Amino acid sequence: TKLNLLEARDNTKLAMEQARNELESFIFEFKEKLFEDITEKLSTEAERTKIREALVDAADWLDDEGFDAEEKVLKEKLKHLKTLSNDLQLRLDEEEKRPKAITSILQSLNMSKVFIDSMKNLPDAKDIYSQKDFKDIEKIYIETKDWLGEKWKKQNESEPSQTPVMLSKDILYQQGKLDREMLYLINKAKYYVPKPKPKVNTTEKSNETKMKVENATEYNRNDTEELEPDENVEQGTHTAKMGGETGSEKVKEQDIRSGVEEKVIKSENK
């Protein structure tokens, strides 16, 4: 219908204007960027000249035959300019992102070192962690540290105008491996439940103690009965006497029993 045709024409015009604005914005912003100090540091004069000429040509084209260009043509022009300036844009992006990524991975390395030292001193470390856990975290820590040192050295030795040797995405990837391993071990300790200690059977222990007391008492009683009475001791205080036990004998047996019980109980507590 006519209404649909008008709507389609409006959508086409809107898309064309949007593509034109995107192209104009890119040309203007990158022209300004080429005069910045950081851009001069990260590029050669020949590279900047080539990009600048392409931007000028695209701007002139827009003001002339490209004024009524279709959306597809405008997008192709923008794609060409981005491809031409992509390497320089990468170096500019990395100059901003890389220092932040390096700071972040250094923090992870420091935290991992502290964690490795502390996890070995945990009270239940042998129950919480296996030998493989210790080996894995130490292996990843060493690999990450060595990788960072090697790449950092190569990056500092390379020319600023060259493609970066050390990319922020690679730094974050290495850091991610270390962080995941450390988090795994932290959670093992966090959710560890100690094994319950076996319960002591108080009844059996009491019976065992009583039996030991009785045996020890009987042993001491036998030793006492074998003693010969001292002629210088009065008859009523003899420790062994024919025809029955005296009061002193009973007191002595009671003292022996008390002493044995005390020794047995102390040995049980130990």
Side-chain angles (χ1 to χ4, degrees):
T1 64
K2 185 176 181 181
L3 183 60
N4 290 337
L5 291 174
L6 291 173
E7 185 177 355
R9 187 182 66 180
D10 290 342
N11 290 338
T12 300
K13 183 180 180 181
L14 183 62
M16 183 185 69
E17 289 176 353
Q18 185 176 352
R20 179 183 177 86
N21 290 336
E22 290 177 359
L23 180 57
E24 286 179 336
S25 296
F26 183 86
I27 293 171
F28 175 78
E29 291 174 5
F30 221 95
K31 274 185 178 180
E32 294 293 320
K33 197 176 291 185
L34 288 174
F35 291 101
E36 294 175 0
D37 292 340
I38 188 63
T39 304
E40 292 186 5
K41 173 188 172 183
L42 299 176
S43 62
T44 62
E45 180 62 35
E47 184 180 24
R48 293 194 301 276
T49 298
K50 184 177 181 180
I51 295 173
R52 187 181 298 111
E53 290 177 351
L55 293 172
V56 171
D57 289 343
D60 291 342
W61 176 84
L62 265 179
D63 292 336
D64 189 8
E65 57 184 293
F67 185 79
D68 293 324
E70 296 180 354
E71 176 192 7
K72 181 180 178 181
V73 178
L74 293 168
K75 286 186 174 182
E76 287 176 354
K77 283 286 183 180
L78 179 59
K79 182 180 178 181
H80 171 70
L81 293 176
K82 285 184 175 181
T83 301
L84 188 63
S85 59
N86 185 61
D87 291 344
L88 175 55
Q89 186 61 57
L90 173 64
R91 295 194 292 274
L92 291 170
D93 291 341
E94 286 300 313
E95 187 71 9
E96 179 181 355
K97 295 177 181 178
R98 187 168 54 248
K100 296 177 182 178
I102 290 175
T103 299
S104 183
I105 195 173
L106 286 175
Q107 290 176 346
S108 288
L109 283 168
N110 290 335
M111 289 175 62
S112 298
K113 182 64 171 64
V114 172
F115 177 74
I116 291 171
D117 293 338
S118 63
M119 69 185 283
K120 296 177 181 178
N121 298 322
L122 288 175
D124 298 319
K126 293 182 178 179
D127 295 328
I128 299 173
Y129 302 116
S130 64
Q131 287 301 315
K132 184 177 184 300
D133 289 332
F134 289 109
K135 291 180 180 178
D136 287 347
I137 185 65
E138 289 175 350
K139 180 174 180 289
I140 294 176
Y141 171 81
I142 293 172
E143 288 177 350
T144 304
K145 185 179 179 181
D146 291 346
W147 178 89
L148 180 64
E150 180 185 351
K151 290 294 183 179
W152 205 347
K153 183 175 182 294
K154 289 183 178 180
Q155 178 62 42
N156 291 332
E157 292 173 350
S158 64
E159 292 294 328
S161 58
Q162 295 177 343
T163 301
V165 177
M166 190 181 194
L167 298 176
S168 57
K169 66 180 182 65
D170 295 333
I171 298 173
L172 296 176
Y173 173 75
Q174 295 294 330
Q175 179 187 355
K177 291 196 298 183
L178 183 61
D179 287 349
R180 284 191 296 274
E181 184 65 22
M182 186 166 60
L183 181 61
Y184 164 72
L185 296 176
I186 289 174
N187 284 333
K188 283 193 76 171
K190 181 178 179 181
Y191 297 108
Y192 168 71
V193 178
K195 295 179 180 179
K197 295 182 179 180
K199 294 182 179 180
V200 177
N201 191 324
T202 55
T203 303
E204 291 182 2
K205 185 175 181 181
S206 177
N207 292 337
E208 183 181 351
T209 302
K210 185 177 180 180
M211 186 178 297
K212 288 182 178 179
V213 170
E214 291 176 350
N215 292 338
T217 303
E218 184 66 26
Y219 174 78
N220 280 276
R221 180 188 295 162
N222 294 335
D223 286 348
T224 303
E225 290 176 351
E226 290 176 0
L227 294 176
E228 292 295 333
D230 192 336
E231 293 179 358
N232 297 325
V233 181
E234 294 182 1
Q235 185 175 357
T237 59
H238 287 169
T239 57
K241 190 172 180 65
M242 296 294 292
E245 296 177 343
T246 68
S248 297
E249 182 180 16
K250 291 179 180 179
V251 170
K252 186 165 186 180
E253 182 179 335
Q254 185 176 359
D255 291 342
I256 292 172
R257 176 182 289 272
S258 298
V260 171
E261 287 178 349
E262 183 179 353
K263 289 180 181 179
V264 171
I265 290 173
K266 284 184 178 180
S267 68
E268 288 295 322
N269 291 335
K270 289 181 182 180

